[in-house]
CSV table of all heavy atoms in Angstrom, one decimal:
chain,number,residue,atom,x,y,z
A,96,GLU,N,-36.2,7.2,54.5
A,96,GLU,CA,-37.3,8.1,54.8
A,96,GLU,C,-38.3,8.2,53.7
A,96,GLU,O,-39.4,8.6,54.0
A,96,GLU,CB,-36.7,9.5,55.2
A,96,GLU,CG,-35.9,9.5,56.5
A,96,GLU,CD,-35.2,10.8,56.8
A,96,GLU,OE1,-34.7,11.4,55.8
A,96,GLU,OE2,-35.2,11.2,57.9
A,97,PHE,N,-38.0,7.8,52.5
A,97,PHE,CA,-39.0,7.8,51.5
A,97,PHE,C,-40.1,6.9,51.7
A,97,PHE,O,-41.2,7.0,51.2
A,97,PHE,CB,-38.3,7.5,50.1
A,97,PHE,CG,-37.6,8.6,49.5
A,97,PHE,CD1,-36.2,8.7,49.5
A,97,PHE,CD2,-38.3,9.7,48.9
A,97,PHE,CE1,-35.5,9.8,49.0
A,97,PHE,CE2,-37.6,10.8,48.3
A,97,PHE,CZ,-36.2,10.8,48.4
A,98,ASN,N,-39.9,5.9,52.6
A,98,ASN,CA,-40.9,4.9,52.9
A,98,ASN,C,-41.7,5.3,54.2
A,98,ASN,O,-42.6,4.5,54.6
A,98,ASN,CB,-40.3,3.5,53.1
A,98,ASN,CG,-39.7,3.0,51.8
A,98,ASN,OD1,-40.3,3.2,50.7
A,98,ASN,ND2,-38.6,2.3,51.9
A,99,ASN,N,-41.3,6.4,54.8
A,99,ASN,CA,-42.0,6.8,56.0
A,99,ASN,C,-43.1,7.9,55.7
A,99,ASN,O,-42.7,9.0,55.4
A,99,ASN,CB,-41.0,7.3,57.0
A,99,ASN,CG,-41.6,7.7,58.4
A,99,ASN,OD1,-42.7,8.1,58.5
A,99,ASN,ND2,-40.8,7.5,59.4
A,100,GLN,N,-44.3,7.5,55.7
A,100,GLN,CA,-45.4,8.3,55.2
A,100,GLN,C,-45.5,9.6,56.1
A,100,GLN,O,-45.8,10.7,55.6
A,100,GLN,CB,-46.7,7.6,55.2
A,100,GLN,CG,-47.9,8.4,54.6
A,100,GLN,CD,-47.6,8.9,53.2
A,100,GLN,OE1,-47.1,8.2,52.4
A,100,GLN,NE2,-47.9,10.2,52.9
A,101,SER,N,-45.3,9.5,57.4
A,101,SER,CA,-45.4,10.6,58.3
A,101,SER,C,-44.4,11.7,58.0
A,101,SER,O,-44.6,12.9,58.0
A,101,SER,CB,-45.3,10.2,59.8
A,101,SER,OG,-44.1,9.7,60.1
A,102,ILE,N,-43.1,11.3,57.6
A,102,ILE,CA,-42.1,12.2,57.3
A,102,ILE,C,-42.5,12.9,55.9
A,102,ILE,O,-42.3,14.1,55.8
A,102,ILE,CB,-40.7,11.6,57.2
A,102,ILE,CG1,-40.2,11.2,58.6
A,102,ILE,CG2,-39.7,12.5,56.5
A,102,ILE,CD1,-39.0,10.3,58.6
A,103,ILE,N,-42.9,12.1,55.0
A,103,ILE,CA,-43.3,12.7,53.7
A,103,ILE,C,-44.5,13.7,53.9
A,103,ILE,O,-44.5,14.8,53.3
A,103,ILE,CB,-43.7,11.6,52.7
A,103,ILE,CG1,-42.5,10.6,52.5
A,103,ILE,CG2,-44.3,12.2,51.4
A,103,ILE,CD1,-41.3,11.3,51.8
A,104,SER,N,-45.5,13.3,54.7
A,104,SER,CA,-46.6,14.2,55.0
A,104,SER,C,-46.2,15.5,55.6
A,104,SER,O,-46.7,16.6,55.3
A,104,SER,CB,-47.6,13.5,55.9
A,104,SER,OG,-48.2,12.4,55.2
A,105,GLU,N,-45.2,15.4,56.5
A,105,GLU,CA,-44.7,16.6,57.2
A,105,GLU,C,-44.0,17.5,56.2
A,105,GLU,O,-44.2,18.8,56.3
A,105,GLU,CB,-43.7,16.1,58.3
A,105,GLU,CG,-43.2,17.2,59.2
A,105,GLU,CD,-42.3,16.7,60.3
A,105,GLU,OE1,-42.5,15.6,60.8
A,105,GLU,OE2,-41.2,17.4,60.5
A,106,ILE,N,-43.3,17.0,55.3
A,106,ILE,CA,-42.6,17.8,54.3
A,106,ILE,C,-43.6,18.5,53.4
A,106,ILE,O,-43.5,19.7,53.1
A,106,ILE,CB,-41.5,17.0,53.5
A,106,ILE,CG1,-40.4,16.7,54.5
A,106,ILE,CG2,-41.0,17.8,52.3
A,106,ILE,CD1,-39.4,15.7,53.9
A,107,VAL,N,-44.6,17.7,52.9
A,107,VAL,CA,-45.6,18.2,52.0
A,107,VAL,C,-46.4,19.3,52.7
A,107,VAL,O,-46.6,20.4,52.1
A,107,VAL,CB,-46.5,17.1,51.5
A,107,VAL,CG1,-47.8,17.7,50.8
A,107,VAL,CG2,-45.8,16.1,50.6
A,108,ASP,N,-46.7,19.2,54.0
A,108,ASP,CA,-47.4,20.2,54.7
A,108,ASP,C,-46.6,21.5,54.9
A,108,ASP,O,-47.1,22.6,54.7
A,108,ASP,CB,-47.8,19.7,56.1
A,108,ASP,CG,-49.0,18.7,56.1
A,108,ASP,OD1,-49.6,18.6,55.0
A,108,ASP,OD2,-49.2,18.0,57.1
A,109,ALA,N,-45.3,21.3,55.1
A,109,ALA,CA,-44.4,22.5,55.3
A,109,ALA,C,-44.3,23.2,54.0
A,109,ALA,O,-44.4,24.5,53.9
A,109,ALA,CB,-43.0,22.0,55.7
A,110,ILE,N,-44.3,22.5,52.9
A,110,ILE,CA,-44.2,23.2,51.5
A,110,ILE,C,-45.5,23.9,51.3
A,110,ILE,O,-45.5,25.0,50.8
A,110,ILE,CB,-43.9,22.1,50.4
A,110,ILE,CG1,-42.5,21.6,50.6
A,110,ILE,CG2,-44.1,22.7,49.0
A,110,ILE,CD1,-42.1,20.4,49.7
A,111,LYS,N,-46.6,23.2,51.5
A,111,LYS,CA,-47.9,23.9,51.3
A,111,LYS,C,-48.1,25.1,52.2
A,111,LYS,O,-48.8,26.1,51.7
A,111,LYS,CB,-49.1,22.9,51.6
A,111,LYS,CG,-49.3,21.8,50.6
A,111,LYS,CD,-50.4,20.9,51.0
A,111,LYS,CE,-50.6,19.8,50.0
A,111,LYS,NZ,-51.7,18.9,50.4
A,112,ASN,N,-47.6,25.1,53.4
A,112,ASN,CA,-47.8,26.2,54.3
A,112,ASN,C,-46.7,27.3,54.2
A,112,ASN,O,-46.7,28.2,55.0
A,112,ASN,CB,-47.9,25.7,55.7
A,112,ASN,CG,-49.1,24.8,55.9
A,112,ASN,OD1,-50.2,25.2,55.4
A,112,ASN,ND2,-49.0,23.8,56.7
A,113,THR,N,-45.8,27.2,53.3
A,113,THR,CA,-44.8,28.2,53.1
A,113,THR,C,-45.4,29.4,52.5
A,113,THR,O,-46.1,29.4,51.4
A,113,THR,CB,-43.6,27.7,52.2
A,113,THR,OG1,-43.0,26.6,52.8
A,113,THR,CG2,-42.6,28.8,52.0
A,114,PRO,N,-45.3,30.6,53.2
A,114,PRO,CA,-45.9,31.8,52.6
A,114,PRO,C,-45.3,32.2,51.3
A,114,PRO,O,-44.1,31.9,51.0
A,114,PRO,CB,-45.6,32.9,53.7
A,114,PRO,CG,-44.9,32.2,54.8
A,114,PRO,CD,-44.6,30.8,54.4
A,115,ASP,N,-46.0,32.9,50.5
A,115,ASP,CA,-45.5,33.5,49.2
A,115,ASP,C,-44.4,34.4,49.5
A,115,ASP,O,-44.4,35.1,50.5
A,115,ASP,CB,-46.7,34.2,48.5
A,115,ASP,CG,-46.3,34.8,47.2
A,115,ASP,OD1,-46.3,34.0,46.2
A,115,ASP,OD2,-45.9,36.0,47.2
A,116,ILE,N,-43.4,34.4,48.7
A,116,ILE,CA,-42.2,35.3,48.8
A,116,ILE,C,-42.6,36.7,49.1
A,116,ILE,O,-42.0,37.4,49.9
A,116,ILE,CB,-41.3,35.2,47.6
A,116,ILE,CG1,-40.6,33.8,47.6
A,116,ILE,CG2,-40.2,36.2,47.6
A,116,ILE,CD1,-39.7,33.5,48.8
A,117,SER,N,-43.6,37.3,48.4
A,117,SER,CA,-44.0,38.7,48.5
A,117,SER,C,-44.5,38.9,49.9
A,117,SER,O,-44.3,40.0,50.5
A,117,SER,CB,-45.0,39.1,47.5
A,117,SER,OG,-46.2,38.3,47.6
A,118,VAL,N,-45.2,37.9,50.5
A,118,VAL,CA,-45.7,38.1,51.9
A,118,VAL,C,-44.5,38.1,52.9
A,118,VAL,O,-44.5,38.9,53.8
A,118,VAL,CB,-46.7,36.9,52.2
A,118,VAL,CG1,-47.1,36.9,53.7
A,118,VAL,CG2,-47.9,37.0,51.4
A,119,ILE,N,-43.6,37.1,52.7
A,119,ILE,CA,-42.4,37.1,53.5
A,119,ILE,C,-41.7,38.4,53.5
A,119,ILE,O,-41.3,38.9,54.5
A,119,ILE,CB,-41.5,35.9,53.1
A,119,ILE,CG1,-42.2,34.6,53.5
A,119,ILE,CG2,-40.2,36.0,53.8
A,119,ILE,CD1,-41.5,33.3,52.9
A,120,ARG,N,-41.4,38.9,52.3
A,120,ARG,CA,-40.6,40.2,52.1
A,120,ARG,C,-41.4,41.3,52.8
A,120,ARG,O,-40.7,42.1,53.5
A,120,ARG,CB,-40.5,40.5,50.7
A,120,ARG,CG,-39.6,41.7,50.4
A,120,ARG,CD,-39.4,42.0,49.0
A,120,ARG,NE,-38.8,41.0,48.2
A,120,ARG,CZ,-37.5,41.0,47.9
A,120,ARG,NH1,-36.7,42.0,48.3
A,120,ARG,NH2,-36.9,40.1,47.2
A,121,ASN,N,-42.7,41.4,52.7
A,121,ASN,CA,-43.4,42.5,53.3
A,121,ASN,C,-43.5,42.4,54.8
A,121,ASN,O,-43.5,43.4,55.5
A,121,ASN,CB,-44.8,42.7,52.7
A,121,ASN,CG,-44.7,43.1,51.2
A,121,ASN,OD1,-43.7,43.7,50.8
A,121,ASN,ND2,-45.7,42.7,50.4
A,122,GLU,N,-43.7,41.2,55.3
A,122,GLU,CA,-44.0,41.0,56.8
A,122,GLU,C,-42.7,40.9,57.6
A,122,GLU,O,-42.7,41.2,58.8
A,122,GLU,CB,-44.9,39.8,57.0
A,122,GLU,CG,-46.3,40.0,56.5
A,122,GLU,CD,-47.2,38.9,56.7
A,122,GLU,OE1,-46.7,37.9,57.3
A,122,GLU,OE2,-48.4,38.9,56.3
A,123,SER,N,-41.6,40.4,57.0
A,123,SER,CA,-40.4,40.1,57.8
A,123,SER,C,-39.5,41.3,57.8
A,123,SER,O,-38.6,41.3,58.7
A,123,SER,CB,-39.7,38.9,57.1
A,123,SER,OG,-40.5,37.8,57.1
A,124,GLY,N,-39.6,42.2,57.0
A,124,GLY,CA,-38.6,43.3,56.9
A,124,GLY,C,-37.3,42.8,56.3
A,124,GLY,O,-37.2,41.6,56.0
A,125,SER,N,-36.4,43.7,56.1
A,125,SER,CA,-35.2,43.2,55.5
A,125,SER,C,-34.0,44.2,55.9
A,125,SER,O,-34.2,45.3,56.4
A,125,SER,CB,-35.3,43.2,54.0
A,125,SER,OG,-35.6,44.5,53.5
A,126,ILE,N,-32.8,43.6,55.7
A,126,ILE,CA,-31.6,44.4,56.0
A,126,ILE,C,-30.8,44.4,54.7
A,126,ILE,O,-30.7,43.4,54.0
A,126,ILE,CB,-30.7,43.6,57.0
A,126,ILE,CG1,-31.4,43.4,58.3
A,126,ILE,CG2,-29.4,44.3,57.2
A,126,ILE,CD1,-31.7,44.6,59.1
A,127,VAL,N,-30.3,45.6,54.3
A,127,VAL,CA,-29.5,45.7,53.1
A,127,VAL,C,-28.0,45.9,53.5
A,127,VAL,O,-27.7,46.7,54.4
A,127,VAL,CB,-30.0,46.9,52.2
A,127,VAL,CG1,-29.0,47.1,51.1
A,127,VAL,CG2,-31.4,46.7,51.7
A,128,VAL,N,-27.2,45.1,52.9
A,128,VAL,CA,-25.7,45.2,53.2
A,128,VAL,C,-25.1,45.4,51.8
A,128,VAL,O,-25.3,44.7,50.9
A,128,VAL,CB,-25.2,43.9,53.8
A,128,VAL,CG1,-23.7,44.0,54.0
A,128,VAL,CG2,-25.9,43.5,55.1
A,129,LYS,N,-24.2,46.5,51.8
A,129,LYS,CA,-23.5,46.8,50.6
A,129,LYS,C,-22.0,46.7,50.9
A,129,LYS,O,-21.6,46.9,52.0
A,129,LYS,CB,-23.8,48.2,50.1
A,129,LYS,CG,-25.2,48.4,49.7
A,129,LYS,CD,-25.4,49.9,49.4
A,129,LYS,CE,-26.9,50.2,49.1
A,129,LYS,NZ,-27.1,51.6,48.7
Side-chain angles (χ1 to χ4, degrees):
E96 293 174 321
F97 281 104
N98 295 324
N99 186 327
Q100 187 57 45
S101 66
I102 291 174
I103 300 298
S104 294
E105 187 177 318
I106 291 169
V107 169
D108 289 343
I110 292 168
K111 284 181 181 177
N112 294 321
T113 300
D115 182 81
I116 290 296
S117 61
V118 172
I119 291 172
R120 185 182 294 264
N121 292 334
E122 291 182 0
S123 300
S125 61
I126 302 292
V127 173
V128 180
K129 298 178 185 180

